[in-house]
Amino acid sequence: MTVEEFEKFYAQTVTRLTGQLYVMLGDLHEAQDVVQEAFVRAWRHRRRLDRDGQPEAWIRTTAWRLAVSRWRSRRRTTEAWQRTTAPPDTEGPGPEAVVLVDALRTLPAQQRRTMTLHYLCDLSVEQIAGETGLSSGTVKTHLRGRAALASRLKDPRIEEEAFDV
């Protein structure tokens, strides 16, 4: 099948094939999707379609198989979701954590990583240096950045209470 013949075949049959698959599947959008996918696949096999002499049947069969494959995939996904239990309810981060994360975002990425490794992962300066490839001196310099964080982490409510007394 030449390009022109395939284009003519497509124009003459796409509506009919979509209608047939719609009746088979009961879902117009699904029928349109699988027929289009079948035509895409047929394009790659257009020379063989011409020899077989049944290109419309090939498209219809391919579209049906695509639909069945989609059904099986959806069923497996649904079954997998049904087998899993809902995760336990967990509280979101508190306001302190949100403020801390916002403050950490203002630091350069490497300094943020260093401070996280030290304060959250409880790693020593030497361990951080080994993990990051930084010198111990650079790690120590990054850890001095906590002064920059301290000003961002002050609780304005505490300052207000100090003035109210």
Side-chain angles (χ1 to χ4, degrees):
M1 210 181 270
T2 65
V3 172
E4 294 80 19
E5 290 171 333
F6 188 86
E7 288 173 350
K8 183 179 177 185
F9 166 66
Y10 175 85
Q12 291 174 344
T13 60
V14 68
T15 303
R16 179 173 52 247
L17 286 165
T18 301
Q20 292 167 356
L21 268 292
Y22 170 51
V23 172
M24 290 180 200
L25 303 175
D27 182 336
L28 179 60
H29 296 292
E30 184 75 7
Q32 291 168 331
D33 285 349
V34 294
V35 168
Q36 288 302 317
E37 178 64 25
F39 270 106
V40 168
R41 292 180 182 199
W43 172 258
R44 289 180 265 164
H45 303 286
R46 65 185 181 279
R47 296 190 203 312
R48 191 174 69 205
L49 288 176
D50 192 33
R51 285 190 300 249
D52 293 344
Q54 300 273 336
E56 195 169 335
W58 191 94
I59 297 285
R60 190 173 32 254
T61 301
T62 301
W64 173 257
R65 288 178 180 161
L66 286 166
V68 169
S69 178
R70 287 179 176 193
W71 291 337
R72 288 179 180 150
S73 176
R74 285 185 199 127
R75 187 181 70 224
R76 284 190 303 268
T77 301
T78 301
E79 289 170 355
W81 276 107
Q82 290 171 346
R83 282 191 306 264
T84 60
T85 59
D89 288 337
T90 56
E91 291 185 30
E96 302 84 15
V98 172
V99 169
L100 175 62
V101 170
D102 284 342
L104 284 168
R105 282 187 183 136
T106 65
L107 299 176
Q110 189 60 49
Q111 187 177 15
R112 186 171 56 242
R113 179 181 181 203
T114 302
M115 292 185 75
T116 302
L117 290 171
H118 185 70
Y119 292 107
L120 268 57
C121 301
D122 202 28
L123 298 183
S124 68
V125 171
E126 292 75 27
Q127 289 171 317
I128 296 169
E131 186 170 321
T132 62
L134 300 172
S135 69
S136 294
T138 302
V139 171
K140 289 176 185 176
T141 301
H142 284 176
L143 292 176
R144 285 189 202 114
R146 58 187 164 216
L149 279 180
S151 65
R152 292 182 179 94
L153 294 176
K154 287 185 179 169
D155 190 343
R157 295 174 297 184
I158 295 172
E159 292 176 9
E160 289 174 7
E161 290 173 7
F163 290 115
D164 289 341
V165 177

